[in-house]
Each structure stands twice: as structure tokens, then as C-alpha cells.
Amino acid sequence: MRILYHPSSDSRVTEFNLMIAKKYPHLLKEKDPQLILVAGGDGSMLSNITAYQKYQIPFFGIAKGTLNFLLNHVEDDEKVIEDLLHDRVNLFVLHGKSISVRKNIQPLGFAVNEVVVGDSINGYHQFCITTLDKSFENFILLGAGLCVSTAIGSTGYNFNNGGPVIPTNENVWAMTDIVCNRNINDLISAQEIMINSKSSVNVFIDGQKSATLHQRDVLHLETGPTIELAFLSKDQFIKQRIELSHRSRG
């Protein structure tokens, strides 16, 4: 298997970077990859997906971060790389839909995890929400913000905001309010969502500020490209998500 690796700037990955440079330098220069190798945490994975989604191939992560929901926990880094290079492992590939984001006609990118509209926990804005299926039609929401999460990202900000953990094979999004006058904790079909605000408010894509919405702007959320995440074990991935969802149970 042909693999491309881009060194992470995360200090926790320094030794891994050195190992790759010494033993597998060809991974740093691969021009026609079949797999993108990532080492670090979920942030490193999201950065690599943004940079290399153009290849439309799976991303395989080796966990070196804190939560590592999007990466594999392995005992022997070099053995795993050797197994991948020589096609000695059957990978479970998860296909998840991202959220494509644009402001008016300007594309802002796509979210693997979530899109958050707001600025601070003490912010106060008037949002107007409309969905293509009219389950929300000129729905007025007053408060700090709004989160729209993919199935893959439902274990992140969405879960900490009280939203549900979505099975990864479901083509639905979670929508939750952030300290608002009306409670939203909905599962909706992946579709176009239009959001505007009476006051200037920021748009965050996977935790990174991407734009500011002003009064006449409209934020459009639509079904984005499919993201492929590769895992050594389907059971390990599912177990981690189940354990997380059980934390909120009594």
C-alpha cells in the first residue's frame, strides 16, 4: 500500500516523526498515495483531512493525543506501518458525511465534526433557522449560539452540549442550542440549513473560527464530501463510542 505522511508539529509526535524520517522517508514524498497516515490527536486528524481530502482516500490515525476518537490505539507503531505497507491487515473503513459550509455564495470549507455559530457563552443573538424540509421554518432562537454536528462528530462538542451520540451509519445531523431561550436537541436529516443573525456572530468549523456573519448574511449548511476513516478494529471504534455515551447514564 502506498502511504503519505505529513509530520505533525505536536510535541507528542516528535519521536514518531523522527522514526518515519529515519526508517520510512519515502512516506514523506509519496505522490500517489492510497492511504493518508496521521499521528497525533483528533486535531491532527482534522487538519490532515482538510489538507488531503482532495485525494479521496482513507485516513489512518495512530493515537498520540488526548481523546483520540478518530484514531487507532496501537502498541507497536513500526509493526502497524509494516503491516499497512505490505497489505497484511484488513482495515475497517468508516464512511461519514461532512457538512459543507458557505456564507452567502462564498465557500468556507467543510466540517467533519461540527459547525458552531456564536461567540461566547455570554453572547446574546437572535438567530433565524430554516431547513429544506421545513421542520424549522423561520424559527427564531435567542441566546449564545447553535451547534450542528455530524454523526462522526456527535461524540465531541455536541455530546458535551447535551446532544445525542449518533450511530455512524445514519445520515442525520444533531442540532443543539447553546444557552438559549428555546431548547433544541433535535436529530434532523442531513440537508440544507439556512441560518442568519440579527447581530454579528462568528462561525466555527471543527473548532476553528472561519468567518463572521453580519446582519444580511446567510449561512448555508449542506451535505459535504464523504470522509473515510480507517481503523484496525471495528469493535474497538464502536466500543469507544458506546463507553462515551454511557457516561451520561445514571
Side-chain angles (χ1 to χ4, degrees):
M1 181 181 293
R2 299 184 302 276
I3 300 173
L4 174 64
Y5 175 71
H6 180 75
S8 171
S9 59
D10 190 328
S11 60
R12 295 171 293 185
V13 189
T14 300
E15 290 187 12
F16 187 90
N17 290 341
L18 292 173
M19 181 269 290
I20 292 290
K22 180 180 179 180
K23 298 187 176 182
Y24 305 100
H26 63 286
L27 302 190
L28 303 171
K29 300 179 288 185
E30 178 59 58
K31 300 297 185 183
D32 185 27
Q34 297 170 298
L35 185 78
I36 303 296
L37 177 64
V38 179
D42 292 326
S44 295
M45 176 60 80
L46 294 172
S47 296
N48 273 267
I49 289 174
T50 299
Y52 296 112
Q53 174 59 22
K54 59 186 179 183
Y55 287 110
Q56 297 184 333
I57 57 177
F59 293 81
F60 181 89
I62 294 181
K64 303 289 182 183
T66 304
L67 296 179
N68 306 307
F69 287 117
L70 306 179
L71 301 95
N72 293 269
H73 298 266
V74 305
E75 296 181 0
D76 188 330
D77 294 343
E78 291 185 45
K79 181 181 183 304
V80 169
I81 293 173
E82 288 288 340
D83 287 344
L84 291 171
L85 286 170
H86 296 93
D87 295 311
R88 294 196 294 252
V89 59
N90 293 319
L91 295 173
F92 160 62
V93 179
L94 170 69
H95 298 81
K97 287 290 187 180
S98 63
I99 301 175
S100 181
V101 187
R102 61 183 169 92
K103 171 184 169 181
N104 303 322
I105 63 172
Q106 175 192 359
L108 300 179
F110 61 89
V112 179
N113 281 347
E114 76 281 311
V115 179
V116 172
V117 186
D119 47 28
S120 74
I121 201 69
N122 293 319
Y124 191 77
H125 306 279
Q126 178 176 313
F127 302 100
C128 181
I129 307 165
T130 297
T131 58
L132 187 64
D133 67 1
K134 303 302 182 183
S135 55
F136 288 82
E137 186 170 13
N138 296 322
F139 183 89
I140 302 300
L141 185 68
L142 304 174
L146 181 71
C147 173
V148 180
S149 168
T150 67
I152 291 176
S154 63
T155 54
Y157 190 102
N158 165 75
F159 180 73
N160 290 322
N161 196 44
V165 175
I166 308 171
T168 54
N169 61 343
E170 296 291 337
N171 191 29
V172 298
W173 296 337
M175 183 187 295
T176 54
D177 73 283
I178 305 170
V179 193
C180 289
N181 68 320
R182 305 170 80 175
N183 178 254
I184 298 179
N185 196 325
D186 288 37
L187 291 177
I188 63 173
S189 299
Q191 61 184 287
E192 183 177 12
I193 302 173
M194 291 161 283
I195 303 168
N196 56 46
S197 172
K198 287 289 186 180
S199 56
S200 295
V201 65
N202 294 323
V203 179
F204 298 86
I205 299 177
D206 289 340
Q208 301 297 313
K209 181 181 174 182
S210 300
T212 300
L213 286 184
H214 300 291
Q215 186 171 356
R216 295 184 180 180
D217 293 327
V218 179
L219 187 71
H220 297 262
L221 309 183
E222 299 165 301
T223 300
T226 298
I227 307 302
E228 298 182 36
L229 297 174
F231 296 90
L232 293 171
S233 168
K234 180 179 180 180
D235 290 342
Q236 182 189 68
F237 173 76
I238 293 175
K239 180 181 178 181
Q240 186 169 247
R241 290 175 67 86
I242 290 174
E243 287 177 347
L244 175 68
S245 65
H246 284 350
R247 290 183 192 175
S248 60
R249 302 185 191 276

